[in-house]
Amino acid sequence: LLHHPKFDAAEYDKEVLNMKAEYEASKSEPQNIAQIKLGKISTPYPKGHPLYTNDPDESAAELAKVKLDDVKKYYADFYGANNSNSVFVGGIDATKITTFLNNSFGKWNAKMAYKRIEPKYFDVAGKTESINTPDKTNAVLMGSINLNISQQHPDYPAVFMADNLLGGGAFLSSRIPQRLREKEGMSYGAGTYMGLQYKYNVGTWGVYAFYNPLYQGRIDSALHEEIEKAKTGGFTQDELTNAVKAYLEGNKTTLGVNGAV
């Protein structure tokens, strides 16, 4: 399949239609709208950059320009195994695996030279935007700040645990989901998330909430209160101890799953 793809014209046309339908449907979905708006604000790569955040209309316009011959050329220029990585976990025969990889991919090289796309840290000013979707009965809140650290930074473990304690830990054990869902019943789901590069000092720390639009004002207030409380008062030793224990136990379980490893 990798070496001899068919590039069937009928299948290609079918896939294009499916993608068009997905783009059209996503234009009115609150979560998708919020994610795109947040991406354009927080990571403003120039249009044409591989990491630029496309909206559905931009994606549809680009799709309209692509022909099957373009896909074939991309395959011919960029596909190859000379910069690939393979990982095998379990009771395997390393010699057989190595022989198989060398026989299958050893001479399959891409025409284009490989170059890593380096992400960029953006120091953007804070702002709040609202987008009205009157035909939807659910609402989504999303926010983020950019972090100028990597997973190798000395502050990473502390930031990682702060995220766990504020809203990114085990389900309902951290402050934001406890407040918004369990205590006040305003949100279907809420919390924080963090994504940091391993190699580069580029990362995001974000917050989200799904809720009934009637709770807009209360959601905003509660989130600001919990974040301000964490900034000014920090976390308790008990919170940290329990979160570290839960994370380490979860990590042990993960390390026992071949796919995850």
Side-chain angles (χ1 to χ4, degrees):
L1 290 173
L2 279 171
H3 285 302
H4 306 288
K6 282 182 66 177
F7 292 114
D8 183 82
E11 289 298 319
Y12 175 76
D13 291 341
K14 189 189 302 181
E15 184 62 24
V16 168
L17 288 175
N18 289 338
M19 292 178 72
K20 283 182 179 178
E22 288 177 12
Y23 292 149
E24 190 62 33
S26 68
K27 288 168 68 172
S28 61
E29 281 302 319
Q31 182 176 348
N32 188 63
I33 294 171
Q35 287 175 327
I36 290 171
K37 175 59 71 173
L38 188 59
K40 287 185 176 293
I41 293 172
S42 61
T43 52
Y45 290 97
K47 191 166 186 177
H49 191 283
L51 301 180
Y52 172 78
T53 302
N54 270 1
D55 63 35
D57 287 333
E58 290 171 323
S59 295
E62 289 185 355
L63 180 64
K65 298 175 184 176
V66 180
K67 306 301 178 187
L68 183 56
D69 285 342
D70 298 320
V71 179
K72 291 178 180 178
K73 185 178 187 310
Y74 184 84
Y75 171 86
D77 289 344
F78 285 92
Y79 270 63
N82 49 318
N83 286 293
S84 66
N85 297 285
S86 299
V87 178
F88 295 82
V89 178
I92 61 172
D93 185 324
T95 302
K96 284 185 177 180
I97 291 291
T98 304
T99 301
F100 165 77
L101 290 176
N102 285 331
N103 290 341
S104 300
F105 305 116
K107 296 180 181 179
W108 189 39
N109 298 325
K111 293 179 183 177
M112 299 296 289
Y114 172 78
K115 184 179 179 182
R116 185 184 297 273
I117 299 171
E118 293 191 17
K120 181 181 177 181
Y121 167 76
F122 291 95
D123 186 8
V124 295
K127 64 188 299 187
T128 300
E129 293 204 18
S130 297
I131 301 172
N132 190 26
T133 54
D135 58 325
K136 300 294 180 179
T137 56
N138 60 313
V140 178
L141 177 149
M142 288 188 173
S144 71
I145 58 174
N146 292 334
L147 300 180
N148 195 17
I149 64 173
S150 72
Q151 291 185 26
Q152 301 179 73
H153 194 281
D155 286 340
Y156 174 66
V159 177
F160 179 86
M161 291 314 303
D163 174 61
N164 267 260
L165 293 166
L166 186 61
F171 187 57
L172 299 182
S173 67
S174 45
R175 289 186 179 183
I176 286 177
Q178 275 284 338
R179 171 78 183 273
L180 270 60
R181 178 175 169 132
E182 292 303 284
K183 292 183 180 178
E184 300 193 26
M186 296 187 294
S187 174
Y188 317 123
T192 61
Y193 60 91
M194 188 176 67
L196 296 183
Q197 292 278 332
Y198 179 77
K199 186 174 182 179
Y200 305 103
N201 288 326
V202 178
T204 297
W205 194 2
V207 63
Y208 67 91
F210 304 97
Y211 58 97
N212 186 310
L214 295 174
Y215 292 123
Q216 175 72 51
R218 286 177 59 191
I219 285 276
D220 285 346
S221 298
L223 272 176
H224 279 92
E225 284 177 17
E226 291 303 322
I227 292 170
E228 195 60 34
K229 194 187 303 180
K231 285 167 60 180
T232 56
F235 302 98
T236 67
Q237 184 59 53
D238 282 347
E239 281 181 294
L240 178 60
T241 300
N242 291 335
V244 169
K245 181 181 178 182
Y247 172 74
L248 292 177
E249 289 177 351
N251 205 41
K252 284 182 182 178
T253 302
T254 301
L255 291 173
V257 180
N258 286 349
V261 174

